[in-house]
Amino acid sequence: MQDSSVQIRNFQQMWRWLGVWDTAERYMYIFEHDINTMSVDALIKQCATGRIFLVYDSNPWQNDVKERLTTILDNCTGDVRVLSPDLQDIWNPDQRWVFFPRWFVSQRWQTNHQNAFKPYRFGFISGEARFHRLWLHQHCTANWTDDDAVAVHLKNIEHIRMDREIDLWYDLDHSITRDLPFANRLGRDDMEYKFAVHATSAGDHSNAHNSYAATIHVVGETSVRDDLVLLSEKTWKAIRSHCMIMTLGNPGICNTLEKLGFTVPGEIDQDLPLDQKVHWISQRVRDWDLDTCQDLYHKYYRETQHNFQHFNDQALVQLFHDDIKRRLA
């Protein structure tokens, strides 16, 4: 866990990069790991100013968090705002919910290691053990080929409870962690080194891995909840790597990307419920060989390059800038 002073410096740098530091500098921070149902009111009262950010922008909400934060906002005095991870809050009329594009900004700061030449078929990489990523892998495991760059690790498996998800979705006749961790030749090139280096950190946020040299990158997003749209570094990495993307995440991702100005070809990706999306992706891993994927890449080359350029364009930065300035005015 980062020290609060380090997190604050990171925010200051990002606010400045977004051009909104003159507005954001008036606020104090209460970070997610400091907040619980018993102490948040007291923490707010202890702040030296009445302008406060409740910082929740880096991870998906837990099931009850947004409802609890709404109650806090409704009952506290002062100018208290929530830094939200939900991209849909850009269109939320309640100005107390401020989408903060942490993962977009951090990816804009990263060095690019990829180009439009894509010699591989599907890329898929999973460091944290989350049910939907493991579930997809078990559907695809018999159909990954030597043309794919796949690495599925089991970091933090002991901290992940999957009982509910298994009860709801699990349709396989064996353990969801069977034969894991997994990496094929292209996925293994630097996996062992990177997982050793980042075993106690937030992970590798570069796009140097071979999975980003595939025509289609399967994005195993952090959350699959249907009341949230979280785009972590995983989605932004795939877009800035010139990949076509298949998103295994919140069902509203494709629609939200299009609202932001990106192009999502329906032949490649669609918003679907989790069980349908797992089958959508796994069927294509089974049926589309390397030639088919490269033909599709050629077919949608303009769309892929539009997305790469839009990610790097100032217009998207301006959109986030304008929304934050409006909410903090």
Side-chain angles (χ1 to χ4, degrees), residues 30-221:
I30 300 177
F31 290 94
E32 179 178 359
H33 63 269
D34 295 322
I35 299 173
N36 59 57
T37 54
M38 299 299 294
S39 65
V40 64
D41 292 333
L43 286 168
I44 289 173
K45 291 175 183 177
Q46 291 172 12
C47 286
T49 75
R51 296 178 181 270
I52 301 161
F53 287 135
L54 302 181
V55 180
Y56 277 81
D57 66 292
S58 62
N59 291 298
W61 312 108
Q62 297 298 317
N63 289 335
D64 64 336
V65 166
K66 195 161 189 177
E67 180 179 347
R68 178 161 60 87
L69 289 176
T70 298
T71 301
I72 291 170
L73 292 175
D74 289 343
N75 288 283
C76 69
T77 59
D79 183 7
V80 180
R81 309 296 173 99
V82 177
L83 295 187
S84 166
D86 188 355
L87 250 169
Q88 297 171 116
D89 278 329
I90 290 179
W91 300 281
N92 185 349
D94 187 340
Q95 296 200 173
R96 300 175 302 179
W97 301 91
V98 183
F99 172 71
F100 186 73
R102 172 197 293 258
W103 302 115
F104 167 79
V105 175
S106 65
Q107 283 299 301
R108 281 286 298 262
W109 290 352
Q110 287 277 343
T111 300
N112 184 37
H113 296 277
Q114 302 295 337
N115 55 45
F117 174 66
K118 300 298 176 191
Y120 310 134
R121 190 178 71 128
F122 286 93
F124 180 59
I125 184 166
S126 172
E128 296 287 341
R130 297 185 185 273
F131 170 81
H132 56 287
R133 299 173 188 163
L134 304 186
W135 194 30
L136 175 70
H137 170 67
Q138 294 296 2
H139 273 278
C140 296
T141 184
N143 296 306
W144 298 127
T145 75
D146 290 340
D147 293 319
D148 301 319
V150 177
V152 182
H153 198 57
L154 285 179
K155 188 172 72 170
N156 291 343
I157 183 66
E158 66 274 13
H159 301 302
I160 306 297
R161 289 188 59 85
M162 301 182 184
D163 309 47
R164 177 179 175 274
E165 289 83 357
I166 290 174
D167 288 343
L168 281 172
W169 305 113
Y170 200 42
D171 63 352
L172 301 175
D173 62 358
H174 50 72
S175 168
I176 197 164
T177 58
R178 189 189 74 172
D179 300 328
L180 291 175
F182 170 86
N184 67 355
R185 179 181 59 83
L186 294 173
R188 193 179 297 114
D189 282 351
D190 56 352
M191 184 193 74
E192 293 173 358
Y193 165 74
K194 285 187 175 178
F195 280 127
V197 169
H198 300 289
T200 58
S201 74
D204 175 25
H205 288 183
S206 81
N207 67 341
H209 193 271
N210 284 330
S211 60
Y212 297 101
T215 60
I216 298 173
H217 185 85
V218 179
V219 182
E221 259 301 352

